[in-house]
Amino acid sequence: MRTKHGSAMKLGLWGLALCLQIGAIPVAVEAAAQAGRGGRGQAPVDARVEQRTYLFEETNEELPYAVFVSSKVTENAENPLIIALHGLGGSPLSLLRGNALDLAEENGYILVGPMGYNSGGWYGSPLLGVGRGRGGVEPPENLSELSETDVMNVLEMIREEFNVDADRTYLMGHSMGGAGTFHLGVKYASDWAAIAAIAPASFAMDPDMLAAVPEMPVMIVQGDADPLVPVENTRQWADKLAELGMTHEYLEIADGDHGNVISIGMPDIFEFFAAHSR
């Protein structure tokens, strides 16, 4: 285990919403997270990020996704790609902010945020919270399947549009997205060179699932002061990685909470990805 010291930071409304992204919270708290965060990306958007939609044929709806393309990306070379999964109540823009964009630009990445069908779909992993529909409409019974399908659709579209390096395609996610990272990382292991879970809300999941992907490099970032994803829960996943002898890094951030671990841990995630290609 590696411990990193991080100072408390003023996260503002966006950070407050990040701190509420967990499936075990009450519906009222989830609604507050969506309102504060702007589940559809109402917070200021970095001009470097392109907001898009595509026709989701499974339900005949337009679904949003967000794309950042480094100025170093070229058509004549294979380029690294990161799929970034937001937390509960979030949007495709949630992880396409701040130093994640700076690091993606510096290192020549395509960085993509899918919606996961809606802001609480859990990307196919076990649903802990209420997957809330758009416009107050209750979500479909197969929400989990639709959420997973959306992510994989977006991955395929990006591969078709850009010259993506299959040996440097990565998956990361925060909170609900961390649980989704474990689920999609194992289920579609051949698609990822490495995965990174940040404060993963993986309470309904069994760390033994990692035994199915013994060759997968895995990074976990967790704050030891996280009030929503207790550090003891995440340590179980880190312990399982060590027990299985898997290539991994567990970064535990001293005084880190549920939100500030994203920006504190992001440079280490990019470093981890850079060190692991297939």
Side-chain angles (χ1 to χ4, degrees), residues 14 18 37 41 43-52 64-70 81-87 90-104 109-115 154 158 172-174 198 262 266 270:
W14 173 63
L18 282 173
R37 179 73 165 283
V45 180
D46 192 298
R48 295 173 291 176
V49 177
E50 181 181 355
Q51 298 184 79
R52 301 177 173 184
Y65 67 107
V67 180
F68 168 81
V69 181
S70 169
L81 166 66
I82 298 175
I83 300 294
L85 307 180
H86 65 78
S91 81
L93 300 166
S94 295
L95 295 183
L96 275 64
R97 303 177 185 271
N99 65 344
L101 297 183
D102 297 334
L103 289 161
Y109 279 86
I110 304 164
L111 180 60
V112 178
M115 187 66 200
V154 170
I158 295 299
M172 70 175 177
H174 172 246
I198 309 168
I262 298 174
M266 198 60 69
F270 272 81

Side-chain angles (χ1 to χ4, degrees), residues 79-85 107-114 151-152 155 158-159 164-173 181 184-185 188-197 216-219 269-278:
N79 304 281
L81 166 66
I82 298 175
I83 300 294
L85 307 180
N107 294 284
Y109 279 86
I110 304 164
L111 180 60
V112 178
V151 175
M152 302 312 293
L155 172 61
I158 295 299
R159 284 172 167 167
V164 173
D165 189 344
D167 292 332
R168 293 184 295 160
T169 298
Y170 306 96
L171 178 66
M172 70 175 177
T181 294
L184 297 177
Y188 301 96
S190 62
D191 286 303
W192 321 112
I195 63 175
M216 175 72 73
V218 179
M219 182 170 187
I269 291 173
F270 272 81
E271 183 177 340
F272 184 79
F273 285 168
H276 295 97
S277 61
R278 289 191 305 213

Side-chain angles (χ1 to χ4, degrees), residues 14-244:
W14 173 63
L16 174 61
L18 282 173
C19 294
L20 298 175
Q21 290 175 7
I22 186 169
I25 60 178
V27 172
V29 177
E30 181 189 353
Q34 290 182 350
R37 179 73 165 283
R40 283 295 186 169
Q42 297 171 9
V45 180
D46 192 298
R48 295 173 291 176
V49 177
E50 181 181 355
Q51 298 184 79
R52 301 177 173 184
T53 64
Y54 80 100
L55 179 62
F56 187 63
E57 294 182 353
E58 286 77 1
T59 60
N60 197 35
E61 296 175 88
E62 289 289 328
L63 296 187
Y65 67 107
V67 180
F68 168 81
V69 181
S70 169
S71 64
K72 298 179 181 180
V73 169
T74 67
E75 296 180 1
N76 299 323
E78 293 185 329
N79 304 281
L81 166 66
I82 298 175
I83 300 294
L85 307 180
H86 65 78
L88 183 66
S91 81
L93 300 166
S94 295
L95 295 183
L96 275 64
R97 303 177 185 271
N99 65 344
L101 297 183
D102 297 334
L103 289 161
E105 169 59 31
E106 178 183 351
N107 294 284
Y109 279 86
I110 304 164
L111 180 60
V112 178
M115 187 66 200
Y117 185 72
N118 72 12
S119 61
W122 288 87
Y123 310 107
S125 64
L127 282 76
L128 290 176
V130 179
R132 302 177 71 77
R134 289 182 280 285
V137 177
E138 287 302 310
E141 293 184 1
N142 62 337
L143 172 62
S144 181
E145 177 185 340
L146 295 176
S147 184
E148 176 177 317
T149 299
D150 180 27
V151 175
M152 302 312 293
N153 284 353
V154 170
L155 172 61
E156 186 58 32
M157 287 189 299
I158 295 299
R159 284 172 167 167
E160 292 177 358
E161 179 179 356
F162 298 96
N163 188 359
V164 173
D165 189 344
D167 292 332
R168 293 184 295 160
T169 298
Y170 306 96
L171 178 66
M172 70 175 177
H174 172 246
S175 194
M176 176 183 77
T181 294
F182 284 143
H183 171 72
L184 297 177
V186 170
K187 186 170 182 178
Y188 301 96
S190 62
D191 286 303
W192 321 112
I195 63 175
I198 309 168
S202 50
F203 306 110
M205 304 170 72
D206 187 345
D208 284 338
M209 66 186 291
L210 296 169
V213 288
E215 302 302 319
M216 175 72 73
V218 179
M219 182 170 187
I220 302 176
V221 177
Q222 174 69 39
D224 67 4
D226 190 329
L228 299 176
V229 175
V231 66
E232 292 78 13
N233 183 79
T234 304
R235 284 173 180 168
Q236 294 178 29
W237 290 82
D239 290 344
K240 179 58 65 173
L241 289 167
E243 176 188 324
L244 294 170

